Each structure stands twice: as structure tokens, then as C-alpha cells.
Amino acid sequence: MIAELMVQPSYWIDSDISIEKVRNLYLFKFTENLQARLEELVEGKKANILTSGEVIELASLLELDRIFTLINAKVIAASCP
């Protein structure tokens, strides 16, 4: 089994992750800079030009995005009557 390296989510917490109020709910979001970086990496993957470090960074960001989507969905579901 090959272990895939990941960037720890805590790497982005101080400067690139925010909690924003959306319709009276507080949701986890990427900052504009981190969202732009994610999109840049996705485009690089499509063009097959990512370095190995960028592949790891992309995998980490995509995993963090999945986690935020799940958490935010749970927050929204819990707020429904």
C-alpha cells in the first residue's frame, strides 16, 4: 500500500480558512486566495503540468473541501425545522 502525502489542514487555518455568516448560519469557507489557488491547481492538473508537491497540495485541498461540504451540509440540515 502506498501512503499518499497530504498537507495538514492546520497549514491553512490562520490565513486561508474563514467562517462566514450565510443566511444566519456560520459556514466554513476558503478565502478568495485559497479558492483561486485551488482553481489554479485544478487547471494545472487538467493540463498535466503539476509538480509532485502541487499534486499533494491539490489532494489536500480537495479533501478539505469535501470535509467543509459535509460539515456545512450538517450545519444547514440541523438548522431546518
Side-chain angles (χ1 to χ4, degrees):
M1 182 171 143
I2 298 174
E4 183 175 327
L5 297 175
M6 299 286 284
V7 176
Q8 294 295 316
S10 58
Y11 175 80
W12 292 292
I13 286 177
D14 289 337
S15 60
D16 293 309
I17 295 172
S18 65
I19 299 174
E20 294 182 21
K21 189 173 183 178
V22 178
R23 297 185 188 151
N24 294 323
L25 298 174
Y26 290 92
L27 303 177
F28 288 94
K29 298 202 144 274
F30 289 169
T31 61
E32 287 182 23
N33 288 340
L34 190 57
Q35 184 64 40
R37 178 64 178 155
L38 174 58
E39 291 168 12
E40 177 184 324
L41 291 168
V42 168
E43 290 303 314
K45 182 177 181 178
K46 289 178 185 176
N48 200 27
I49 59 170
L50 295 182
T51 66
S52 59
E54 289 171 328
V55 169
I56 292 168
E57 183 181 3
L58 176 59
S60 300
L61 284 172
L62 290 173
E63 180 64 16
L64 190 56
D65 186 54
R66 282 189 286 273
I67 291 167
F68 284 177
T69 299
L70 175 62
I71 292 170
N72 290 340
K74 287 185 175 219
V75 168
I76 292 166
S79 72
C80 294

